Structures are given as C-alpha cells and as structure tokens.
Amino acid sequence: MPGDRWLREMQLLGFTEGEMTALLARHWLLPEEMARAMETSSRPLESKPFSPLGGILHLAALLSDVPDCRSDSVYALPEAVMQKLHLNADSLQNDFPQVEVSPSFIEV
C-alpha cells in the first residue's frame, strides 16, 4: 500500500529514508529548504512551519509506490496535503504525463 514504507522504516530502523537523505543533504551543504523537505516528506502536515516542497515530495513518493500508476491515481492522494498545497485532483489528472511502456522494457 502506498505510504506504508514510511511506517515500516520507522518500525525497523527508527527513521525514514527522507530523514536520512536530509542528513546527507546537510552534510553536502545543499540548501536547507531542500534538506527540510526531505526530512518532512513522510509526514508533511506535522512539520511546523509546513514545507511545501516536503508536501510535494510526499505526494510524489506516494504516486511512485502505486503499481501501474495512472492519471486517476491522483484521486487517492491525501486531501489534506493537496489542500495545503492548493492542488486540485482534477487539474492534476488533466496534466498527468502519459507514459507508454515499450514492450522491450518489460522483463519476461
């Protein structure tokens, strides 16, 4: 299920991939806004102040976890995060990239 990996990471490791990536980003002296977005991406609504980039990373990660992701997958995204970002599912669906997978890329 999309988003479950954050729960599994916390249970198994005590931290999320976003938190670890944020540590690396700070070590590499990336902009703090980027590090904070990574750090808050698993729970963007809990961060104060809200990180819009963290919210976007959250939605992108959820979509990346959806098997066979299609344009209507945006309707399963968390409404609270969508509202905080002033996003509309209908608009996202209309702008969703159409990706065609070539049979040569499919493993048999």
Side-chain angles (χ1 to χ4, degrees):
M1 175 146 242
D4 283 351
R5 80 180 136 105
W6 293 312
L7 180 60
R8 286 191 309 274
E9 290 169 353
M10 285 302 294
Q11 290 172 338
L12 294 171
L13 304 170
F15 55 87
T16 66
E17 67 177 295
E19 292 167 334
M20 178 57 68
T21 306
L23 287 173
L24 291 170
R26 288 184 178 107
H27 178 75
W28 294 329
L29 304 176
L30 294 178
E32 180 57 24
E33 181 180 1
M34 290 177 69
R36 193 159 177 287
M38 294 171 200
E39 185 174 57
T40 63
S41 64
S42 65
R43 296 179 303 273
L45 295 176
E46 293 178 17
S47 70
K48 303 293 184 233
F50 176 73
S51 167
L53 188 52
I56 291 169
L57 288 176
H58 181 78
L59 297 178
L62 289 174
L63 288 174
S64 73
D65 285 349
V66 175
D68 193 28
C69 187
R70 299 181 313 250
S71 64
D72 62 347
S73 300
V74 300
Y75 291 102
L77 294 173
E79 185 63 31
V81 178
M82 297 276 286
Q83 287 178 351
K84 194 78 171 171
L85 291 167
H86 307 287
L87 295 175
N88 175 287
D90 291 330
S91 295
L92 285 179
Q93 184 184 28
N94 291 337
D95 294 335
F96 204 84
Q98 299 302 315
V99 178
E100 293 187 30
V101 178
S102 169
S104 65
F105 290 113
I106 299 174
E107 291 184 28
V108 181

